[in-house]
Amino acid sequence: MEEEIYILCLTLQKRKNEESSGCLRCRNFRRLKLASLRDTEDPFLLQEETFQRFLRFPKTLCWELIQELKPHDNYVRNSRIPFEIQFISVLYFLANGSYQSCVGNSDFVAVSQSSVSRNIKDICRLVFEHKNAEISFPNTAEHYNSIKRGKFGIKGVIGAIDCTHVAIIAPSSSTVGVVPHDYMNRKGYYSVNVEAICDEELIFRHVNARFPGSCHDGGKWTTSPVRIKLIREHVAGSYTWLLGDSGYPLEPWLLTPTPSSDNEERYNKVHVKTRNPVERAYGVLKSRFRCLSKERVRYIAQRSNKTWHYSVRGCNGRKHSSW
């Protein structure tokens, strides 16, 4: 009896080793196949129309971003994947909001799911560290005056403020520092409430994505660094205004709709028309980067050192990269 059990255990162990060896051979074959595809396919050889349909960016802009970020690439070690392909894989994921495996299986990316996950983490970190100055609130009189001379319909207005919800996967109650129900918004799904200010050219001047979906727009505004800046400038005698909807309080530096009378009705019409750019900016942002779409939720909220990160779930449901 003992001999039979021993033989059975040896047989099972041998089969397990064969399966492991077979899986390893399959992984090696797939790795070589993907490398071969990367060597033969160049996404920049695609036609401009096809390139923009897949990646939402023109070739010239994409190439400029790659050249700006490539010298700062210190995160990827011993990687055979060119930086250009890493960037394209991340841009393809952000533009389509698809599963990481689907992104990696595309002809012009041809990398594994785990590589896509690492690329998302590294490239997003590079963009955040070296391109965050692209979003800046006006700091000089010349900058203020250039915006005031724009197309805003109310004199002295330098921007419009509003919030939008970016859907996320329900956070786990076991995550330290995270209360899941805080992310349930009034529309009935889990989200992060993103506050942004943009000008008449749909250029974002300020973005704050640190608050959960249950946080009210007016509550976020009370702690906003932009509000503190406008208060100081107002005290110093510099009069500029932002436009907000009825979710914000009426303040000397923030104009909101008012109850209707004849004069106020005209003001409200001009106010709605002038505040429209921020609504359009959100629409353009979510249509260009489909990963922000409610129907393509891929993110989980987690907290580390008082900073919020959003991790991406892969197609197997496991948590992968975060930024």
Side-chain angles (χ1 to χ4, degrees):
M1 184 66 178
E2 293 180 357
E3 294 179 354
E4 294 177 354
I5 295 176
Y6 180 74
I7 294 173
L8 179 61
C9 290
L10 287 178
T11 304
L12 292 175
Q13 184 64 37
K14 182 178 179 180
R15 179 175 296 180
K16 184 177 180 180
N17 293 337
E18 290 177 351
E19 290 178 353
S20 300
S21 177
C23 292
L24 182 61
R25 286 196 297 270
C26 290
R27 286 197 297 269
N28 290 335
F29 177 78
R30 175 172 170 77
R31 188 178 293 112
L32 293 174
K33 182 68 174 179
L34 292 175
S36 175
L37 285 173
R38 288 197 300 272
D39 293 339
T40 57
E41 297 289 338
D42 184 356
F44 287 95
L45 295 180
L46 296 172
Q47 294 184 357
E48 183 66 32
E49 181 181 355
T50 304
F51 189 92
Q52 292 193 34
R53 187 171 69 250
F54 283 119
L55 301 173
R56 315 286 182 184
F57 273 25
K59 287 183 183 180
T60 54
L61 178 58
C62 189
W63 186 252
E64 288 175 6
L65 288 172
I66 290 174
Q67 298 308 308
E68 289 180 21
L69 296 175
K70 191 173 182 179
H72 305 288
D73 178 30
N74 299 318
Y75 297 109
V76 181
R77 299 177 178 86
N78 301 323
S79 176
R80 297 179 57 189
I81 304 175
F83 183 83
E84 292 79 5
I85 298 298
Q86 297 175 37
F87 184 89
I88 290 295
S89 67
V90 176
L91 189 58
Y92 187 50
F93 170 80
L94 297 176
N96 295 276
S98 183
Y99 288 113
Q100 295 174 7
S101 295
C102 298
V103 172
N105 287 334
S106 59
D107 293 339
F108 52 86
V109 174
V111 296
S112 65
Q113 178 272 321
S114 58
S115 296
V116 174
S117 178
R118 287 192 296 269
N119 294 344
I120 293 172
K121 177 181 178 180
D122 296 333
I123 298 298
C124 288
R125 185 181 297 163
L126 282 175
V127 172
F128 178 77
E129 291 180 355
H130 301 284
K131 299 296 289 182
N132 58 354
E134 300 291 332
I135 301 178
S136 61
F137 198 74
N139 289 316
T140 63
E142 292 78 9
H143 199 175
Y144 274 128
N145 292 332
S146 66
I147 296 177
K148 290 179 182 179
R149 289 192 296 267
K151 300 177 183 178
F152 277 119
I154 302 176
K155 293 182 179 180
V157 171
I158 59 172
I161 184 171
D162 200 6
C163 292
T164 188
H165 289 279
V166 176
I168 62 172
I169 297 173
S172 172
S173 57
S174 61
T175 304
V176 178
V178 174
V179 181
H181 65 260
D182 284 349
Y183 288 85
M184 177 62 70
N185 63 31
R186 58 184 175 82
K187 299 180 181 180
Y189 60 89
Y190 293 93
S191 69
V192 175
N193 194 3
V194 180
E195 179 185 78
I197 298 172
C198 81
D199 60 19
E200 78 283 355
E201 296 180 352
L202 308 189
I203 298 175
F204 286 101
R205 299 295 182 182
H206 170 75
V207 176
N208 183 356
R210 296 187 176 185
F211 287 84
S214 63
C215 187
H216 192 269
D217 296 359
K220 293 182 63 175
W221 172 245
T222 59
T223 61
S224 173
V226 173
R227 180 174 182 268
I228 297 173
K229 174 180 173 61
L230 292 177
I231 291 174
R232 292 173 178 171
E233 293 177 351
H234 187 82
V235 172
S238 176
Y239 300 108
T240 54
W241 297 274
L242 292 177
L243 298 181
D245 59 19
S246 56
Y248 290 91
L250 178 62
E251 296 179 335
W253 41 84
L254 178 61
L255 304 179
T256 61
T258 60
S260 296
S261 67
D262 291 340
N263 290 333
E264 291 169 342
E265 187 68 30
R266 289 196 295 272
Y267 161 77
N268 286 340
K269 289 182 180 179
V270 175
H271 184 283
V272 171
K273 183 178 180 180
T274 307
R275 200 183 63 84
N276 179 259
V278 69
E279 303 282 357
R280 289 189 288 127
Y282 278 135
V284 171
L285 181 68
K286 290 187 176 183
S287 64
R288 176 161 295 187
F289 298 106
R290 298 295 177 86
C291 65
L292 300 177
S293 174
K294 175 187 172 184
E295 287 72 25
R296 305 188 184 189
V297 179
R298 298 285 184 274
Y299 310 98
I300 315 166
Q302 59 182 6
R303 191 173 188 179
S304 175
N305 297 327
K306 297 183 179 179
T307 301
W308 293 105
H309 303 275
Y310 299 97
S311 302
V312 184
R313 277 201 187 277
C315 61
N316 56 4
R318 295 180 179 177
K319 186 170 62 178
H320 298 293
S321 61
S322 63
W323 62 92

